Amino acid sequence: SEQGLLLPEPRDINTFELVTTDGTPFTQDHFRAHWTLLFFGFSHCASICPASLDVIKRAYTTLKQAHPDLQVVFVSLDPLRDKPAILEKYIHAFNTDFIGVSGKTNVLRKLQSQFGVYSARDQAMGGNYQLQHTASIFLVSPKMKWAGLLNAGIKPEDFVKAVNTGIGKNPG
């Protein structure tokens, strides 16, 4: 549907190690025991990231009431420019609960490929480039499995419904 897609069989997520904005390692173990909304992007993004994060931000309060352990994780695909302080300021402008992570390009690429996330740098001059990237938001279960993907371009209330549906179909 336009709201997203639930995987008939949730998929395992292979091990990885990224780093949060405060320097703590962030691995697949951080998905254990709570639902996670996972989104890939970058802080210099002109439209898709701010719009998607705004939808998540507006849905978050409602979702948090139903799922107190829900976490939102934003993975920066632009480690070159998204230094920890910049990434933290960016993600916390949406909600201070949101977690920003990044890491080495090869680790990011491996994680992206697990979720089928495309990204490519455009050929702008100098440091003012944009990244073209997949805009889906991924639903990760407390069993550390990829359970579904959500369309970022929907209304916050539809986003809430889609997340609740995804969680409801994957108990535990």
Coordinates of all heavy atoms in Angstrom, one line a residue, residues 71-144:
Q71 N 12.1 3.5 19.7 CA 13.2 4.4 19.5 C 13.3 4.8 18.0 O 12.9 4.0 17.1 CB 14.6 3.8 20.0 CG 15.0 2.5 19.3 CD 16.3 2.0 19.8 OE1 16.9 2.5 20.7 NE2 16.8 0.9 19.2
V72 N 13.8 6.0 17.7 CA 14.0 6.5 16.4 C 15.5 6.6 16.2 O 16.2 7.3 16.9 CB 13.3 7.8 16.2 CG1 13.6 8.4 14.8 CG2 11.8 7.6 16.4
V73 N 16.0 6.0 15.1 CA 17.5 6.0 14.8 C 17.7 6.6 13.4 O 17.1 6.0 12.4 CB 18.1 4.6 14.9 CG1 19.6 4.6 14.6 CG2 17.9 4.1 16.4
F74 N 18.5 7.6 13.3 CA 18.8 8.2 12.0 C 20.2 7.9 11.7 O 21.1 8.2 12.5 CB 18.6 9.8 12.2 CG 18.9 10.5 10.9 CD1 18.0 10.6 9.9 CD2 20.1 11.2 10.8 CE1 18.3 11.3 8.7 CE2 20.4 11.9 9.6 CZ 19.5 12.0 8.6
V75 N 20.4 7.2 10.6 CA 21.8 6.8 10.2 C 22.3 7.8 9.1 O 21.7 7.9 8.0 CB 21.8 5.4 9.6 CG1 23.2 5.0 9.1 CG2 21.2 4.4 10.6
S76 N 23.3 8.5 9.4 CA 23.8 9.5 8.4 C 24.7 8.7 7.4 O 25.6 8.0 7.7 CB 24.7 10.5 9.1 OG 25.4 11.2 8.0
L77 N 24.4 9.0 6.1 CA 25.1 8.4 5.0 C 26.2 9.3 4.5 O 26.8 9.1 3.5 CB 24.1 8.1 3.8 CG 23.0 7.2 4.1 CD1 22.0 7.1 3.0 CD2 23.6 5.8 4.5
D78 N 26.5 10.4 5.3 CA 27.4 11.4 5.0 C 28.4 11.7 6.1 O 28.5 12.8 6.6 CB 26.6 12.7 4.6 CG 27.5 13.8 4.0 OD1 28.6 13.5 3.6 OD2 27.0 14.9 3.9
P79 N 29.2 10.6 6.4 CA 30.1 10.8 7.6 C 31.2 11.9 7.4 O 31.7 12.5 8.3 CB 30.8 9.4 7.7 CG 30.6 8.7 6.4 CD 29.4 9.3 5.8
L80 N 31.4 12.2 6.1 CA 32.4 13.3 5.8 C 32.0 14.6 6.4 O 32.7 15.3 7.0 CB 32.5 13.4 4.3 CG 33.6 14.2 3.7 CD1 35.0 13.5 4.0 CD2 33.5 14.4 2.2
R81 N 30.7 15.0 6.2 CA 30.2 16.3 6.7 C 29.5 16.1 8.1 O 29.4 17.1 8.9 CB 29.3 16.9 5.7 CG 30.0 17.4 4.5 CD 29.1 18.1 3.5 NE 28.0 17.2 3.0 CZ 27.1 17.6 2.1 NH1 27.2 18.8 1.6 NH2 26.2 16.7 1.7
D82 N 28.8 15.0 8.3 CA 28.0 14.8 9.5 C 28.9 14.4 10.7 O 28.8 13.3 11.2 CB 26.9 13.8 9.3 CG 25.7 14.5 8.5 OD1 25.7 15.7 8.4 OD2 24.9 13.7 8.0
K83 N 29.7 15.3 11.1 CA 30.5 15.0 12.3 C 29.5 14.9 13.5 O 28.4 15.5 13.5 CB 31.5 16.2 12.6 CG 32.5 16.4 11.4 CD 33.4 15.2 11.2 CE 34.3 15.3 10.0 NZ 34.4 14.2 9.2
P84 N 29.9 14.2 14.6 CA 29.0 14.0 15.7 C 28.2 15.2 16.2 O 27.0 15.2 16.3 CB 29.9 13.4 16.8 CG 31.0 12.7 16.0 CD 31.2 13.6 14.8
A85 N 28.9 16.4 16.4 CA 28.2 17.5 16.9 C 27.2 18.1 15.9 O 26.1 18.5 16.3 CB 29.2 18.6 17.2
I86 N 27.5 18.0 14.7 CA 26.5 18.5 13.6 C 25.3 17.6 13.5 O 24.2 18.0 13.5 CB 27.3 18.6 12.2 CG1 28.3 19.7 12.3 CG2 26.3 18.8 11.1 CD1 29.3 19.7 11.1
L87 N 25.6 16.3 13.5 CA 24.5 15.3 13.4 C 23.6 15.4 14.7 O 22.4 15.3 14.5 CB 25.2 13.9 13.3 CG 24.2 12.7 13.2 CD1 23.3 12.9 12.0 CD2 25.0 11.4 13.1
E88 N 24.2 15.5 15.8 CA 23.4 15.6 17.1 C 22.5 16.8 17.0 O 21.3 16.7 17.3 CB 24.3 15.6 18.3 CG 23.5 15.7 19.6 CD 24.3 15.3 20.8 OE1 24.8 14.1 20.9 OE2 24.6 16.2 21.6
K89 N 23.1 18.0 16.6 CA 22.3 19.2 16.6 C 21.1 19.0 15.6 O 20.0 19.4 15.8 CB 23.2 20.4 16.2 CG 22.5 21.7 16.3 CD 23.5 22.8 16.0 CE 22.7 24.1 15.9 NZ 23.3 25.1 15.0
Y90 N 21.4 18.4 14.5 CA 20.4 18.2 13.4 C 19.3 17.3 13.9 O 18.1 17.7 13.8 CB 21.1 17.6 12.2 CG 20.1 17.3 11.1 CD1 19.6 18.3 10.3 CD2 19.7 16.0 10.8 CE1 18.7 18.1 9.2 CE2 18.8 15.7 9.8 CZ 18.3 16.8 9.0 OH 17.4 16.5 8.0
I91 N 19.6 16.1 14.4 CA 18.6 15.2 14.8 C 17.8 15.6 16.0 O 16.6 15.5 16.1 CB 19.2 13.8 14.9 CG1 18.1 12.7 15.0 CG2 20.1 13.6 16.1 CD1 17.4 12.5 13.7
H92 N 18.5 16.3 17.0 CA 17.8 16.8 18.2 C 16.9 18.0 17.9 O 16.1 18.3 18.7 CB 18.8 17.1 19.3 CG 19.3 15.8 19.9 ND1 20.3 15.8 20.9 CD2 19.0 14.5 19.7 CE1 20.6 14.5 21.2 NE2 19.8 13.7 20.5
A93 N 17.1 18.6 16.8 CA 16.2 19.7 16.4 C 14.8 19.1 16.2 O 13.8 19.8 16.3 CB 16.7 20.4 15.2
F94 N 14.7 17.9 15.8 CA 13.4 17.2 15.6 C 12.9 16.7 17.0 O 11.7 16.9 17.3 CB 13.5 16.1 14.6 CG 13.8 16.6 13.2 CD1 15.1 16.7 12.7 CD2 12.7 17.1 12.4 CE1 15.3 17.3 11.5 CE2 13.0 17.7 11.2 CZ 14.3 17.7 10.7
N95 N 13.7 15.9 17.7 CA 13.3 15.4 19.0 C 14.6 15.0 19.7 O 15.4 14.3 19.1 CB 12.4 14.3 18.9 CG 11.7 13.9 20.2 OD1 12.4 13.6 21.2 ND2 10.4 13.9 20.3
T96 N 14.7 15.4 21.0 CA 16.0 15.1 21.7 C 16.1 13.6 22.0 O 17.1 13.1 22.4 CB 16.1 15.9 23.0 OG1 14.9 15.8 23.7 CG2 16.3 17.4 22.7
D97 N 15.0 12.8 21.9 CA 15.0 11.4 22.1 C 15.7 10.7 20.9 O 16.1 9.5 21.0 CB 13.6 10.8 22.2 CG 13.0 11.1 23.5 OD1 13.7 11.6 24.4 OD2 11.8 10.8 23.7
F98 N 15.6 11.3 19.7 CA 16.1 10.6 18.5 C 17.6 10.4 18.6 O 18.3 11.2 19.1 CB 15.7 11.4 17.2 CG 14.3 11.5 16.9 CD1 13.3 11.0 17.8 CD2 13.8 12.2 15.8 CE1 11.9 11.0 17.5 CE2 12.4 12.3 15.5 CZ 11.5 11.7 16.4
I99 N 18.0 9.3 18.0 CA 19.4 8.9 18.1 C 20.1 9.0 16.7 O 19.5 8.5 15.7 CB 19.5 7.4 18.5 CG1 18.9 7.2 19.9 CG2 21.0 6.9 18.5 CD1 18.6 5.7 20.2
G100 N 21.2 9.7 16.7 CA 21.9 9.9 15.4 C 23.1 9.0 15.4 O 23.8 9.0 16.4
V101 N 23.3 8.2 14.4 CA 24.5 7.4 14.3 C 25.1 7.5 12.9 O 24.5 7.9 11.9 CB 24.2 5.9 14.5 CG1 23.5 5.7 15.9 CG2 23.3 5.3 13.5
S102 N 26.4 7.2 12.9 CA 27.1 7.2 11.6 C 28.3 6.3 11.8 O 28.4 5.6 12.8 CB 27.5 8.6 11.1 OG 27.9 8.5 9.7
G103 N 29.2 6.3 10.8 CA 30.4 5.4 10.9 C 31.2 5.4 9.6 O 31.0 6.2 8.7
K104 N 32.0 4.4 9.5 CA 32.9 4.3 8.3 C 32.0 3.9 7.1 O 31.0 3.2 7.2 CB 33.9 3.2 8.5 CG 34.9 3.6 9.6 CD 36.1 2.6 9.6 CE 37.2 3.1 10.5 NZ 36.8 3.0 11.9
T105 N 32.3 4.5 6.0 CA 31.6 4.3 4.7 C 31.3 2.8 4.4 O 30.2 2.4 4.1 CB 32.3 5.0 3.6 OG1 32.4 6.4 3.9 CG2 31.4 4.9 2.3
N106 N 32.4 2.0 4.6 CA 32.2 0.6 4.2 C 31.2 -0.1 5.1 O 30.4 -1.0 4.7 CB 33.5 -0.2 4.2 CG 34.2 -0.1 5.6 OD1 34.1 0.8 6.4 ND2 35.0 -1.2 5.9
V107 N 31.1 0.3 6.4 CA 30.1 -0.3 7.4 C 28.7 0.2 7.0 O 27.8 -0.5 7.0 CB 30.5 0.1 8.8 CG1 29.5 -0.5 9.8 CG2 31.9 -0.3 9.2
L108 N 28.6 1.5 6.7 CA 27.4 2.1 6.3 C 26.8 1.4 5.0 O 25.7 1.0 5.0 CB 27.5 3.6 6.0 CG 27.7 4.5 7.2 CD1 28.2 5.8 6.8 CD2 26.5 4.6 8.0
R109 N 27.7 1.2 4.1 CA 27.3 0.5 2.8 C 26.8 -0.9 3.1 O 25.8 -1.3 2.5 CB 28.5 0.4 1.9 CG 28.9 1.7 1.3 CD 28.2 2.0 0.0 NE 28.6 3.2 -0.6 CZ 27.8 4.2 -0.9 NH1 26.6 4.2 -0.6 NH2 28.3 5.3 -1.5
K110 N 27.4 -1.6 4.0 CA 26.9 -3.0 4.3 C 25.6 -3.0 4.9 O 24.7 -3.8 4.6 CB 27.9 -3.7 5.2 CG 29.0 -4.4 4.5 CD 29.6 -5.5 5.3 CE 31.0 -5.5 5.5 NZ 32.0 -5.6 6.3
L111 N 25.4 -2.0 5.8 CA 24.1 -1.9 6.5 C 23.0 -1.5 5.5 O 21.9 -2.1 5.4 CB 24.1 -0.9 7.7 CG 22.9 -0.9 8.5 CD1 22.5 -2.2 9.2 CD2 23.0 0.2 9.6
Q112 N 23.3 -0.5 4.7 CA 22.4 -0.1 3.6 C 22.0 -1.2 2.7 O 20.8 -1.4 2.4 CB 23.1 0.9 2.7 CG 23.2 2.3 3.2 CD 24.0 3.2 2.2 OE1 25.1 3.5 2.5 NE2 23.4 3.5 1.1
S113 N 23.0 -2.1 2.3 CA 22.6 -3.1 1.4 C 21.7 -4.1 2.0 O 20.8 -4.7 1.3 CB 23.9 -3.8 0.8 OG 24.5 -4.5 1.8
Q114 N 21.8 -4.3 3.3 CA 20.8 -5.2 4.0 C 19.4 -4.7 3.9 O 18.5 -5.5 3.8 CB 21.1 -5.3 5.5 CG 22.4 -6.0 5.8 CD 22.5 -6.4 7.3 OE1 21.6 -7.1 7.8 NE2 23.5 -5.8 8.0
F115 N 19.2 -3.4 3.9 CA 17.9 -2.8 3.8 C 17.5 -2.4 2.4 O 16.5 -1.8 2.2 CB 17.8 -1.7 4.8 CG 17.7 -2.1 6.2 CD1 18.9 -2.1 7.0 CD2 16.5 -2.4 6.8 CE1 18.8 -2.5 8.3 CE2 16.5 -2.8 8.2 CZ 17.6 -2.8 8.9
G116 N 18.4 -2.6 1.4 CA 18.2 -2.2 0.1 C 18.1 -0.7 -0.1 O 17.4 -0.2 -0.9
V117 N 18.9 0.0 0.7 CA 19.0 1.5 0.7 C 20.0 1.9 -0.3 O 21.2 1.6 -0.2 CB 19.3 2.1 2.1 CG1 19.5 3.6 2.0 CG2 18.1 1.8 3.0
Y118 N 19.5 2.7 -1.3 CA 20.4 3.2 -2.4 C 20.9 4.6 -1.9 O 20.1 5.3 -1.3 CB 19.5 3.3 -3.6 CG 20.1 4.3 -4.7 CD1 21.0 3.8 -5.6 CD2 19.7 5.6 -4.7 CE1 21.6 4.6 -6.6 CE2 20.2 6.4 -5.7 CZ 21.2 5.9 -6.6 OH 21.7 6.8 -7.6
S119 N 22.1 4.9 -2.2 CA 22.5 6.3 -2.1 C 23.7 6.6 -3.0 O 24.5 5.7 -3.3 CB 23.0 6.6 -0.6 OG 24.2 6.0 -0.3
A120 N 23.7 7.8 -3.6 CA 24.7 8.2 -4.5 C 24.9 9.7 -4.4 O 24.0 10.4 -4.3 CB 24.3 7.8 -6.0
R121 N 26.2 10.1 -4.4 CA 26.5 11.5 -4.3 C 26.4 12.1 -5.7 O 26.9 11.6 -6.7 CB 27.9 11.5 -3.8 CG 28.4 12.9 -3.4 CD 29.7 12.7 -2.7 NE 30.5 13.9 -2.9 CZ 31.7 14.1 -2.2 NH1 32.1 13.3 -1.4 NH2 32.3 15.2 -2.4
D122 N 25.8 13.3 -5.7 CA 25.7 14.0 -7.0 C 27.1 14.7 -7.2 O 27.9 14.8 -6.3 CB 24.5 14.9 -7.1 CG 24.6 16.1 -6.3 OD1 25.7 16.5 -5.8 OD2 23.5 16.7 -6.0
Q123 N 27.2 15.2 -8.4 CA 28.6 15.7 -8.8 C 28.7 17.2 -8.6 O 29.2 17.9 -9.5 CB 28.9 15.3 -10.3 CG 29.0 13.8 -10.5 CD 30.0 13.2 -9.6 OE1 31.1 13.7 -9.4 NE2 29.6 12.1 -8.9
A124 N 28.1 17.7 -7.5 CA 28.2 19.2 -7.3 C 29.7 19.6 -7.1 O 30.5 18.8 -6.6 CB 27.4 19.6 -6.1
M125 N 30.0 20.8 -7.4 CA 31.3 21.3 -7.1 C 31.6 21.5 -5.6 O 30.7 21.9 -4.9 CB 31.5 22.7 -7.8 CG 31.4 22.6 -9.3 SD 32.4 21.4 -10.1 CE 34.0 22.2 -10.0
G126 N 32.8 21.2 -5.2 CA 33.2 21.4 -3.8 C 32.4 20.6 -2.8 O 31.9 19.5 -3.1
G127 N 32.2 21.2 -1.7 CA 31.5 20.4 -0.6 C 30.0 20.5 -0.5 O 29.4 20.1 0.5
N128 N 29.4 21.2 -1.5 CA 28.0 21.4 -1.4 C 27.1 20.4 -2.1 O 26.1 20.7 -2.7 CB 27.7 22.8 -2.0 CG 26.4 23.4 -1.6 OD1 25.8 22.9 -0.6 ND2 25.9 24.3 -2.3
Y129 N 27.6 19.1 -2.1 CA 26.9 18.1 -2.8 C 25.6 17.6 -2.1 O 25.5 17.9 -0.9 CB 27.8 16.9 -3.0 CG 28.4 16.3 -1.7 CD1 27.8 15.4 -1.0 CD2 29.7 16.8 -1.3 CE1 28.3 14.9 0.2 CE2 30.2 16.3 -0.1 CZ 29.5 15.3 0.6 OH 30.0 14.8 1.8
Q130 N 24.8 17.0 -2.8 CA 23.6 16.3 -2.2 C 23.8 14.8 -2.4 O 24.5 14.4 -3.3 CB 22.3 16.8 -2.9 CG 21.9 18.2 -2.6 CD 21.3 18.3 -1.2 OE1 20.3 17.6 -0.8 NE2 21.8 19.2 -0.3
L131 N 23.1 14.0 -1.7 CA 23.0 12.6 -1.9 C 21.6 12.2 -2.3 O 20.6 12.7 -1.7 CB 23.3 11.8 -0.6 CG 24.7 12.0 0.1 CD1 24.7 11.3 1.4 CD2 25.8 11.4 -0.8
Q132 N 21.5 11.5 -3.4 CA 20.2 10.9 -3.7 C 20.1 9.6 -2.9 O 21.1 8.8 -2.8 CB 20.2 10.5 -5.2 CG 20.5 11.6 -6.1 CD 19.6 12.8 -5.9 OE1 18.4 12.6 -5.8 NE2 20.1 14.0 -6.0
H133 N 19.0 9.4 -2.2 CA 18.9 8.2 -1.4 C 17.5 7.7 -1.2 O 16.6 8.5 -1.4 CB 19.6 8.4 0.0 CG 18.9 9.5 0.8 ND1 17.9 9.1 1.7 CD2 19.0 10.8 0.9 CE1 17.4 10.2 2.3 NE2 18.1 11.3 1.8
T134 N 17.4 6.4 -0.8 CA 16.1 5.8 -0.5 C 15.5 6.5 0.7 O 16.1 6.7 1.7 CB 16.3 4.3 -0.2 OG1 17.0 3.7 -1.3 CG2 15.0 3.6 0.0
A135 N 14.2 6.8 0.5 CA 13.5 7.6 1.6 C 12.6 6.8 2.5 O 11.9 7.3 3.4 CB 12.7 8.7 1.0
S136 N 12.7 5.4 2.4 CA 11.8 4.6 3.3 C 12.3 4.7 4.7 O 13.4 4.9 5.0 CB 11.8 3.2 2.8 OG 11.4 3.1 1.5
I137 N 11.3 4.4 5.6 CA 11.6 4.3 7.0 C 11.4 2.9 7.4 O 10.4 2.3 7.0 CB 10.7 5.2 7.9 CG1 10.9 6.7 7.5 CG2 10.9 5.0 9.4 CD1 9.8 7.6 7.7
F138 N 12.4 2.3 8.1 CA 12.3 0.8 8.3 C 11.9 0.5 9.7 O 12.3 1.2 10.7 CB 13.7 0.2 8.1 CG 14.2 0.4 6.6 CD1 14.9 1.5 6.3 CD2 13.7 -0.4 5.6 CE1 15.3 1.8 5.0 CE2 14.1 -0.2 4.3 CZ 14.9 0.9 4.0
L139 N 11.1 -0.5 9.8 CA 10.6 -0.9 11.1 C 11.4 -2.2 11.6 O 11.4 -3.2 10.8 CB 9.1 -1.3 11.0 CG 8.3 -1.7 12.3 CD1 8.3 -0.5 13.3 CD2 6.9 -2.1 12.0
V140 N 12.0 -2.0 12.7 CA 12.9 -3.1 13.2 C 12.3 -3.6 14.5 O 11.9 -2.8 15.4 CB 14.3 -2.7 13.4 CG1 15.2 -3.8 14.0 CG2 14.9 -2.2 12.1
S141 N 12.1 -4.9 14.6 CA 11.4 -5.5 15.8 C 12.3 -5.7 17.0 O 13.6 -5.7 16.8 CB 10.8 -6.9 15.4 OG 11.8 -7.9 15.4
P142 N 11.7 -5.9 18.1 CA 12.5 -6.2 19.4 C 13.4 -7.5 19.3 O 14.2 -7.7 20.1 CB 11.5 -6.3 20.5 CG 10.2 -5.7 19.9 CD 10.3 -5.9 18.4
K143 N 13.0 -8.3 18.3 CA 13.9 -9.5 18.1 C 15.0 -9.2 17.1 O 15.6 -10.1 16.6 CB 13.0 -10.6 17.5 CG 12.0 -11.1 18.5 CD 11.1 -12.2 17.9 CE 10.1 -12.8 19.0 NZ 9.0 -13.4 18.4
M144 N 15.2 -7.9 16.9 CA 16.3 -7.5 16.0 C 16.1 -7.9 14.6 O 17.1 -8.3 13.9 CB 17.7 -7.9 16.5 CG 17.9 -7.5 18.0 SD 19.6 -7.9 18.6 CE 19.8 -9.6 18.3

